[in-house]
Amino acid sequence: MPKSKKILLLGGTTEAYELAELLYEKNVLFISSLAGRTQNPRIPIGKVRKGGFGGIDGLKKYIIQQQIEIIVDATHPFAEIITKNAHQAAFETNINYLRLERPLWQQKAEDQWNIVQTIEQAVAMIPKNSRCFLAIGRQHLQAFSKRTDVDFIARMRDLPEKLDDFHHLKIILDRPQDKNHELVFLKEHKFDCIVCRNSGGDASYAKIEAARILQLTVIMQTRRELANMQIVSNINDALNVIKHLQIQAE
Ligand code: NAP
């Protein structure tokens, strides 16, 4: 196998940053890719590119130009377009594709979850005249504006694009906190409901634990079923797959 063959690591997640560290330590050739929409994103160690590829065709060109041997797709569980495109582009260029996706959060007996498949179902499920914490990405906020009976607070790192007729939404610029801080936050705003997505992982789980303690209703969007693809749920398993490809720096 030529030594210049390398990994394209689709990132933007905790797992991708951690995997980049390990690949770098092990002297494996890889390029991290970020969508480039977050202001001041954390930059992974090693070689990095930013911005969309231009759909499947753009990604196929990139794979060929850069002599990519495998795509390791560690994007967020709800970043569905890039996952679909990456899987297809890998298939069409006859290279390997590996999905690294953390396990879903599992509902516990004390959890008050209402599980939905889509954002539209989440909008409809919010109790009337609720005070609702929108723990979802900024690109999905607008759909909730039609619930004029509800007071919404959303918490996010960057301000969303302009929203139409959404005066009953307050935005707080912040990141997820630990359980004690989430308890204070949920109580302080007198929420009776949270809308979030089942992203799995530790980074934003504290609000789910806090909601359990306060017995709040959680409207939980589940992620889609993954198509027929090779999937691992942790970094060590991803490294094992990569090891077999014997991609090393010169
Ligand atoms: P998406 O809807 O699946 O992707 C939209 C478009 O963004 C893709 O078609 C692609 O553009 C570009 N793109 C997405 N991820 C990319 C990457 N890693 N490198 C290069 N281009 C990328 O994705 P999204 O939900 O907007 O998420 C974007 C990024 O943010 C992902 O890397 C994801 O891991 C991270 N993230 C997302 C969430 C979330 O809730 N969705 C949360 C945390 C982090 P082209 O078609 O032009 O190639």
Side-chain angles (χ1 to χ4, degrees), residues 103-115:
L104 289 174
W105 298 323
Q106 297 300 317
Q107 183 171 11
K108 300 206 168 162
E110 319 89 88
D111 285 325
Q112 307 292 319
W113 289 8
N114 290 323
I115 295 173

Side-chain angles (χ1 to χ4, degrees), residues 10-13 33-35 37 49 51-55 75-76 78-82 85 139 197:
L10 301 177
T13 55
S33 177
L34 300 176
R37 280 195 295 281
R49 66 163 301 285
F53 297 95
T75 56
H76 189 270
F78 283 86
E80 298 184 9
I81 300 170
I82 188 69
N85 287 358
Q139 66 271 41
R197 303 191 296 176

Side-chain angles (χ1 to χ4, degrees), residues 3-209:
K3 284 191 170 171
S4 57
K5 293 260 179 185
K6 50 184 102 66
I7 298 167
L8 176 59
L9 173 56
L10 301 177
T13 55
T14 313
E15 292 79 9
Y17 290 107
E18 288 172 5
L19 183 57
E21 298 273 346
L22 292 174
L23 293 175
Y24 190 83
E25 264 172 31
K26 290 178 189 302
N27 224 16
V28 176
L29 275 181
F30 72 100
I31 304 170
S32 287
S33 177
L34 300 176
R37 280 195 295 281
T38 310
Q39 288 167 17
N40 307 317
R42 180 180 160 197
I43 303 297
I45 195 163
K47 193 170 174 188
V48 181
R49 66 163 301 285
K50 280 196 230 164
F53 297 95
I56 296 176
D57 288 343
L59 183 49
K60 279 163 60 181
K61 274 194 202 131
Y62 188 84
I63 290 168
I64 293 161
Q65 269 167 10
Q66 295 294 328
Q67 294 188 284
I68 302 297
E69 173 73 10
I70 179 169
I71 295 179
V72 178
D73 175 3
T75 56
H76 189 270
F78 283 86
E80 298 184 9
I81 300 170
I82 188 69
T83 288
K84 198 159 162 263
N85 287 358
H87 186 233
Q88 187 63 25
F91 175 75
E92 290 181 22
T93 50
N94 202 22
I95 64 159
N96 297 290
Y97 170 91
L98 179 67
R99 175 74 181 140
L100 168 56
E101 187 163 301
R102 51 181 106 126
L104 289 174
W105 298 323
Q106 297 300 317
Q107 183 171 11
K108 300 206 168 162
E110 319 89 88
D111 285 325
Q112 307 292 319
W113 289 8
N114 290 323
I115 295 173
V116 295
Q117 312 294 324
T118 65
I119 288 287
E120 290 67 34
Q121 289 168 358
V123 172
M125 186 71 80
I126 299 170
K128 255 195 158 327
N129 304 317
S130 172
R131 282 187 62 77
C132 183
F133 173 28
L134 281 183
I136 54 162
R138 58 200 154 124
Q139 66 271 41
H140 302 293
L141 293 176
Q142 186 69 63
F144 293 86
S145 63
K146 64 169 86 148
R147 287 299 305 272
T148 50
D149 59 309
V150 177
D151 282 330
F152 289 107
I153 293 182
R155 182 178 64 190
M156 46 200 51
R157 289 183 196 187
D158 298 321
L159 280 173
E161 310 272 299
K162 189 181 168 306
L163 297 163
D164 296 325
D165 294 324
F166 207 167
H167 310 293
H168 46 302
L169 168 71
K170 181 177 165 194
I171 307 242
I172 295 176
L173 289 181
D174 207 349
R175 54 182 63 222
Q177 306 286 338
D178 64 25
K179 187 172 72 182
N180 289 338
H181 283 91
E182 295 294 33
L183 271 171
V184 171
F185 175 75
L186 296 179
K187 281 199 245 179
E188 187 184 2
H189 293 286
K190 301 187 169 58
F191 292 119
D192 50 40
C193 165
I194 301 179
V195 175
C196 69
R197 303 191 296 176
N198 193 335
S199 307
D202 298 333
S204 60
Y205 188 62
K207 65 175 179 287
I208 304 298
E209 293 177 294

